[in-house]
Amino acid sequence: MARIRGRADWAVLRWLLPFAFLHGLIYLVLVPPWQHYDEPAHFEYARLIAETGAVPAFDAVSTEARWQIAESMGRFHFWGSSTPINGRTGDLPVLGYNQRVHPPLYYQLAALPIRLTLTQSVEVQLFAARLLSVIFYTLTVAAVWRLSVVVAPDAPLVQLAVPLIYALVPPFAAIMTAVNNDVLVNFTGAALLLGCGLLIRDGPRFASLSLAILSVVVGMLAKRTALPFLLPLTLAIFWGSARQPVRPSRWLLIVGSATLIAAVAGLQLDTSGATPTLGLRSWVNTLDANYLRLGIDPMVHSLTDWRLSAPIYPGAFWVAFTTFWVAYGWGHVQIGMGWAWAMLGLNLAASVGLGVRIWRLRVATALWQKRIIWLFLAVAVSGFSALILRIHPLPAYGGYDYLPRGRYVFSGLPATIWLITLGVMGLGPNDRTQDAVSGLLGLMFVLEGFGLARLVQYYYGSPWPIAVFAAQKPGLLGLPPLYPVLFTLYLGAVGVILRRIARLR
């Protein structure tokens, strides 16, 4: 049986992994250097490690590296038609927000391919680091596929569709092929959900428990935004250990008691301002100042000041939503507002369908499968809550400079895709769920096609691939033209996928 399962797995991986890798390479060569979110500053961090072999101090600077990056940004029109770089004169250029506030693990990994290419141009170094991201992207898609096999062992179409839908979310594919520490966080997020799914299905076993715990540790060593990983890990360990159903009343008692204890122990009413708000007790402030360094007290004050925060939320939601589904980079390359409204409609419809699907599954579904669905809901809610918290603390009344982007919740994207897929399956009768899943997958292929065309149009002046072919002659970074070959191989991989999906229907 294990041998048969292994052959079946390889039959999928031998086309899924090449598809994901080719899809990542398309973005790698399509997006010009430095055009991903904060890529110059992320690259500089890794370049400093590659040069010195050590983690740099917060204010450390390599003059040569800084000028090389800035000059390359000018060559690739990062600042548009006018560039502030006019020879190596004056003060050192600013590359963006200093990324050395982040833990060094991702940058130490990214430094490895950069160190191997230090004798090459800075663009070659950048693309070498991007290639590492493409490898993580491919592994992440594989982890989501394996999670789908765990969740839906008797639904081969769903097993294939979920990782493909996940891979085809345009902004996610773009950030996963950039030099950015989100790459490692998103990979560990997918690996964590796989470990949690195995824990809930099989109970505490060494391999699944180790995978889940290691994913949390690596994620938190990559970026503090991995802190919400502790929630699914805790739920998975609890559900993996408690194999029998837990009555809803007991859940309410546990959650309610924990919330009440946390509120009484950590919060207090603050009436010193114009509006009464909540604040932290002194011991929590001490813990935050000495260890967490999250600025929790001003965050809580801002969060509970509704006169200040309520007007911000509609705009914050729309920015987060559009950059989650239909915007690249800093949000400056939009696939189109028509697609934004279409995806909003899809999400709303899927939310209704999800309730229907959960109701239908209440009897005939195994307890562990129900718990995994609830785990996905918890991940989605905690990710949205963390996104809201990123808005705070708000400045004084009158304005706000930055609203969080959708990329901050990509670590929980596998859960989101699963919930949307289940929701779409719940919109029609049970005997048409395969049609619903196929339709959702087809929609994502179309969205991704429009996204790639929009990128080509924005950066190369025409939505047709021939524009990239022309721009890459005599070749990208001194290499033979890559995009025509990759595009042809990619279309072949899509053809293989469509044939396989057709056989499963």
Side-chain angles (χ1 to χ4, degrees), residues 20-21 24-25 28 36 39 106 109-110 113 126-140 172-184 187:
F21 189 71
L25 287 180
L28 184 148
H36 289 294
E39 192 169 51
Y106 166 78
L109 295 174
L126 173 71
F127 277 66
R130 281 188 182 181
L131 183 60
L132 177 66
S133 297
V134 173
I135 293 172
F136 274 122
Y137 171 67
T138 305
L139 295 175
T140 303
F172 173 73
I175 198 65
M176 287 298 289
T177 55
V179 179
N180 192 302
N181 60 348
D182 284 342
V183 170
L184 186 54
F187 168 65

Side-chain angles (χ1 to χ4, degrees), residues 25 40 51 55 113 149 173 177 217 229 235 281 301 304 306 384 386 393 417 465 479:
L25 287 180
E51 288 183 352
V55 177
V149 173
T177 55
V217 172
F229 285 6
L235 286 174
R281 296 189 183 276
H301 277 89
T304 54
W306 282 97
F384 178 77
I417 297 302
L479 299 173

Side-chain angles (χ1 to χ4, degrees), residues 366-377:
L367 176 63
W368 64 267
Q369 287 176 306
K370 295 177 185 177
R371 286 176 168 178
I372 291 179
I373 295 174
W374 286 112
L375 179 78
F376 290 156
L377 281 167

